[in-house]
Amino acid sequence: MTKLLRGYTLIEILVTLSIIGILFGAGYASFRTFSRRQAVIDANKQIQGDLRLAQEIALAGQKPSDPKCNAPNSLIGYNFNVVSASEYRIQANCSGGLVTTKDIFLSVDVNLTIAPVGQNPITFNVLGNGTNIPLNTTVTLTLTQTGTGNKSVTTLSSGGQIQ
């Protein structure tokens, strides 16, 4: 009597595992590229949100509770200040001095630059008085990821439009 054995050979199993390994490796590489690109996009969205925050609280004339801004001092506007390639600040610009309201550190592999450099800080003036950006000019904030070269750009117009 002949006994029939069913199953997979060692070669069939090794070929299947090799194919799965190759597919997993390609998928992982694609995911890593996607997630690194997404990190730059997310940082850019955070910057745009913080720019809009500074603009909104300046328009509202909202003063922080600080002796530099309390009466008789007045609120001039809010500054968006690029401190370094990895840090920026939002500061209330009062007649008594600057008050930092938010200090943000970017992830290690993302660098922030502002052009033109002389336009730092960007000031959103109170009560709809615009910005300190000269008429018919724009300021560009560029995020660059080290190692990959991924970039994301935000522009501000003299009227305060953020794109």
Side-chain angles (χ1 to χ4, degrees):
M1 175 169 190
T2 318
K3 192 174 184 183
L4 212 59
L5 296 175
R6 294 185 182 247
Y8 297 104
T9 66
L10 181 60
I11 292 177
E12 290 172 330
I13 293 171
L14 289 175
V15 167
T16 303
L17 289 175
S18 297
I19 291 171
I20 290 171
I22 290 169
L23 290 174
F24 177 77
Y28 178 74
S30 295
F31 175 75
R32 186 166 181 222
T33 301
F34 168 78
S35 64
R36 294 187 92 195
R37 187 173 52 245
Q38 197 64 34
V40 174
I41 292 169
D42 290 345
N44 192 39
K45 286 181 182 177
Q46 180 183 4
I47 287 174
Q48 288 179 356
D50 287 336
L51 284 165
R52 286 187 178 96
L53 172 69
Q55 185 179 42
E56 287 174 15
I57 56 180
L59 286 171
Q62 183 179 341
K63 293 196 299 187
S65 178
D66 188 276
K68 294 177 183 175
C69 291
N70 293 341
N73 297 320
S74 61
L75 179 67
I76 297 165
Y78 276 82
N79 292 349
F80 181 90
N81 187 9
V82 178
V83 179
S84 68
S86 61
E87 179 186 8
Y88 65 90
R89 282 190 188 122
I90 297 175
Q91 299 170 308
N93 185 358
C94 298
S95 57
L98 295 174
V99 178
T100 300
T101 58
K102 194 171 183 182
D103 203 5
I104 297 89
F105 293 90
L106 300 170
S107 67
V108 177
D109 62 340
V110 176
N111 293 321
L112 175 62
T113 57
I114 186 169
V117 177
Q119 194 55 59
N120 191 28
I122 299 164
T123 302
F124 294 99
N125 298 318
V126 294
L127 305 174
N129 290 326
T131 66
N132 65 338
I133 302 170
L135 285 174
N136 300 321
T137 60
T138 58
V139 172
T140 305
L141 297 166
T142 305
L143 285 167
T144 307
Q145 190 173 44
T146 54
T148 64
N150 291 333
K151 288 187 178 187
S152 190
V153 176
T154 298
T155 58
L156 285 94
S157 69
S158 57
Q161 186 177 13
I162 302 165
Q163 295 179 340

